Amino acid sequence: MEIGGSTLVSYPAGEVRGRSAVVGAVPVGDRYGTIVAETPFHPLDHTWPDQPADEGTIGGLAVVDCVTGAVEEGGETVHLGADIPVRRGTPGWNWLVVHVTDGPVPGREVELAVDEARRRALSAGHTACHLTALALNAALAGRWRKEIPADGLGHPDFDQTAITSSRILPDGSRDVYRLGKSLRRKGFTVEGFAEDLPEIAQRVNDRLKEWIAADAPVWIDSPGSELTARRTWHCGLPEGEVAIPCGGTHLSSTSRLGSVTATLELSGDGSELTMHTTVG
Ligand SMILES: [Zn+2]
């Protein structure tokens, strides 16, 4: 099969529709995987699977899943999802969006349409996820006794230092942080954390309210259109502009979120913090 390069993606600009040439087909279990030259579909990322795949239609057929594929340049085998043997964006590989359907997709050129309501809910969840991470960093800034890398607002980056998993949900997200020995060694104070939790959550939610009221613009910077181009999320917050590496989709301003609520939950042994973020 001659794929001829990485899939070009239009979802970073907010696109939900497209028309494109079919450039390849691969079996996905007993289903059908279709690769096109350019797509508005966001696939699940195999390295950091935070935002779920888009749903919608390709050539009139329901897209039941959308996964990342990778084929080595000059190679034949398209590896899928967790079976990809290299990290996202490794040079020398073509990176593909694979649209999965129950039947074969007819035609050499197809219409692509993403389920807009689901996309909007996932974009809202993802924008809220980045904002709560920044608000959490600010609320925990006083707990650091040593210097660690700062986020875009100058606060110690608790989120990037302690995160173990992040899942974007429709109109929400769930982030899990490890409060173990290694975090304490880096200078994070865990003493009194459980008692302070309600106040920390209050500080996070107060800041979110301010940022939503400020109607701060949100945009994605893309150095290229390929699936694995290193894109960054930007937000012009009142305190300054922040940038976070991000491969997902977003709303265009903080006010579009309406309202966001974060709740914090500590595991029984105090070693794990879960932040649940809800939009609306
Ligand atoms: Zn992101």
Side-chain angles (χ1 to χ4, degrees):
M1 189 195 326
E2 194 54 61
I3 299 284
S6 290
T7 307
L8 305 181
V9 293
S10 57
Y11 59 79
E15 284 296 336
V16 288
R17 285 173 182 282
R19 182 176 176 80
S20 183
V22 173
V23 296
V26 284
V28 182
D30 52 6
R31 286 169 160 162
Y32 297 79
T34 302
I35 299 155
V36 298
E38 184 180 19
T39 184
F41 275 80
H42 176 276
L44 183 71
D45 185 61
H46 79 293
T47 298
W48 185 246
D50 59 349
Q51 183 171 335
D54 277 331
E55 292 172 0
T57 59
I58 179 168
L61 296 178
V63 175
V64 295
D65 198 4
C66 191
V67 299
T68 301
V71 56
E72 206 166 359
E73 276 167 20
E76 290 277 311
T77 311
V78 176
H79 303 269
L80 297 173
D83 293 333
I84 298 173
V86 291
R87 284 188 69 79
R88 174 187 174 91
T90 299
W93 289 70
N94 286 321
W95 294 89
L96 311 167
V97 177
V98 180
H99 310 76
V100 183
T101 53
D102 285 329
V105 170
R108 280 158 50 184
E109 205 172 280
V110 287
E111 298 283 345
L112 300 119
V114 172
D115 178 331
E116 292 185 52
R118 177 179 155 85
R119 161 70 72 76
R120 192 191 183 283
L122 290 170
S123 296
H126 205 148
T127 301
C129 177
H130 285 246
L131 292 174
T132 49
L134 291 165
L136 183 64
N137 287 346
L140 296 177
R143 287 190 159 266
W144 290 94
R145 287 172 285 104
K146 293 182 192 168
E147 204 160 312
I148 63 150
D151 68 17
L153 297 179
H155 301 120
D157 202 338
F158 171 84
D159 176 73
Q160 281 308 294
T161 308
I163 198 157
T164 58
S165 81
S166 181
R167 289 290 176 275
I168 308 301
L169 311 166
D171 289 314
S173 65
R174 187 181 65 249
D175 294 276
V176 180
Y177 301 98
R178 178 123 194 94
L179 304 177
K181 225 181 269 168
S182 94
L183 198 69
R184 286 204 296 273
R185 263 201 304 272
K186 286 176 183 157
F188 188 77
T189 308
V190 293
E191 283 71 37
F193 196 80
E195 297 73 47
D196 282 359
L197 217 50
E199 198 198 313
I200 295 165
Q202 187 63 52
R203 284 209 294 269
V204 169
N205 284 308
D206 288 348
R207 197 168 291 252
L208 288 169
K209 213 173 273 177
E210 282 171 34
W211 286 345
I212 290 167
D215 190 18
V218 173
W219 70 98
I220 302 291
D221 260 4
S222 259
S225 304
E226 301 80 20
L227 173 60
T228 58
R230 290 177 181 275
R231 290 181 286 276
T232 42
W233 174 87
H234 290 254
C235 186
L237 291 169
E239 296 92 329
E241 185 185 316
V242 284
I244 295 176
C246 182
T249 68
H250 289 274
L251 300 184
S252 58
S253 76
T254 56
S255 68
R256 287 176 181 261
L257 290 163
S259 73
V260 176
T261 309
T263 58
L264 298 174
E265 185 191 324
L266 201 56
S267 63
D269 63 355
S271 69
E272 207 171 75
L273 174 71
T274 303
M275 181 162 68
H276 301 271
T277 302
T278 310
V279 179

